[in-house]
Amino acid sequence: MVRTQDYGVTLKLYRTQFLVDLDAENVGRVLKLDSIKQGKMWRGMDVLIFNSWHWWTHIDHIQPWDYMEDGNRLYKDMNRLVAYYKGMTTWARWVNAFVNPSKTKVFFNGVSPVHYDGRDWGEPMKSCKSQTQPFYGRKYPGGPPVAWVILNKVFRRLKKPVYWLDITGLSQLRKDAHPSAYSGNHPGNDCSHWCLPGLPDTWNVLFYSALFS
């Protein structure tokens, strides 16, 4: 938590990669696709900024859950896009039930793309490694990620106003903006995180403009 003395603004980071609940139970760590009890921590804020996608695709030792739960059924795994849709639908229900638009302004920072497959921008033998130029063109050849399509579908279920910071398309153009082989914390070819300073600064400019528009 950070509080600015000059402006009386308090910033709080609530780290929850999936927005829905991740609970430790007797069987192990359970990702509950239809539960969002932690949402009680978010009520009454002046501004809420949500984001979730990156961690839904993680597997093996970096996967932070052992089971998924939907209703009363446990799953060792399921299609991650299906799981993402279920989880984001639970989040949308929470927004509809608990957000007071006269008090709280809600934002959702959209799907951050990756650049592991050069076929997405017309260079099938390449990834983000050694890329030094953005993609130049009016339309990104790979089209929107499926997660973007799912999020678009979820937003149609919202009855309360949520500002979608749709950073996906502009970020797809920046195949050159990843750490690639130069990330100290992620050995190998990192084409999913972003260099700082860099593209996320553009996201912040867009958020600032939307916040005060």
Side-chain angles (χ1 to χ4, degrees):
M1 183 174 73
V2 177
R3 180 174 177 82
T4 61
Q5 297 295 329
D6 292 340
Y7 300 100
V9 174
T10 301
L11 301 176
K12 295 182 179 181
L13 172 64
Y14 190 97
R15 190 170 189 268
T16 169
Q17 302 100 314
F18 306 99
L19 301 184
V20 292
D21 295 326
L22 178 60
D23 293 341
E25 301 195 346
N26 291 335
V27 295
R29 302 164 300 175
V30 180
L31 182 61
K32 300 188 173 184
L33 301 177
D34 59 352
S35 175
I36 196 164
K37 297 188 299 292
Q38 61 187 333
K40 64 186 178 186
M41 303 294 295
W42 312 331
R43 298 186 195 179
M45 299 293 177
D46 295 314
V47 178
L48 287 170
I49 311 168
F50 292 100
N51 167 251
S52 186
W53 165 241
H54 181 82
W55 278 82
W56 288 87
T57 61
H58 286 16
I59 60 174
D60 299 329
H61 67 282
I62 56 174
Q63 173 183 298
W65 48 266
D66 302 304
Y67 293 91
M68 290 183 178
E69 182 181 271
D70 186 27
N72 295 319
R73 293 190 60 183
L74 283 178
Y75 300 86
K76 191 62 180 175
D77 204 350
M78 71 169 65
N79 182 295
R80 301 304 176 86
L81 292 167
V82 172
Y84 182 63
Y85 175 71
K86 289 177 178 288
M88 292 303 96
T89 298
T90 299
W91 166 80
R93 291 195 192 104
W94 181 88
V95 170
N96 288 338
F98 295 110
V99 167
N100 178 358
S102 66
K103 164 66 177 173
T104 304
K105 197 169 186 177
V106 183
F107 296 84
F108 194 102
N109 199 53
V111 172
S112 175
V114 299
H115 291 95
Y116 286 105
D117 189 347
R119 289 177 295 183
D120 288 343
W121 62 89
E123 294 181 310
M125 303 303 293
K126 296 186 178 181
S127 69
C128 76
K129 186 177 181 180
S130 301
Q131 296 288 331
T132 60
Q133 295 292 324
F135 172 81
Y136 292 103
R138 298 184 64 182
K139 185 176 181 181
Y140 189 69
V146 179
W148 182 95
V149 177
I150 290 172
L151 194 59
N152 189 44
K153 184 177 180 181
V154 168
F155 262 67
R156 297 189 197 128
R157 305 176 71 101
L158 286 166
K159 299 175 182 177
K160 302 288 180 67
V162 176
Y163 194 107
W164 183 4
L165 290 163
D166 189 3
I167 49 87
T168 304
L170 67 90
S171 303
Q172 284 181 311
L173 305 180
R174 293 302 310 275
K175 57 186 174 65
D176 61 314
H178 299 283
S180 66
Y182 302 101
S183 173
N185 295 325
H186 297 84
N189 191 33
D190 185 353
C191 299
S192 63
H193 297 88
W194 304 95
C195 295
L196 291 173
L199 177 65
D201 297 309
T202 301
W203 303 349
N204 290 337
V205 170
L206 295 174
F207 166 66
Y208 183 85
S209 177
L211 179 62
F212 293 103
S213 64

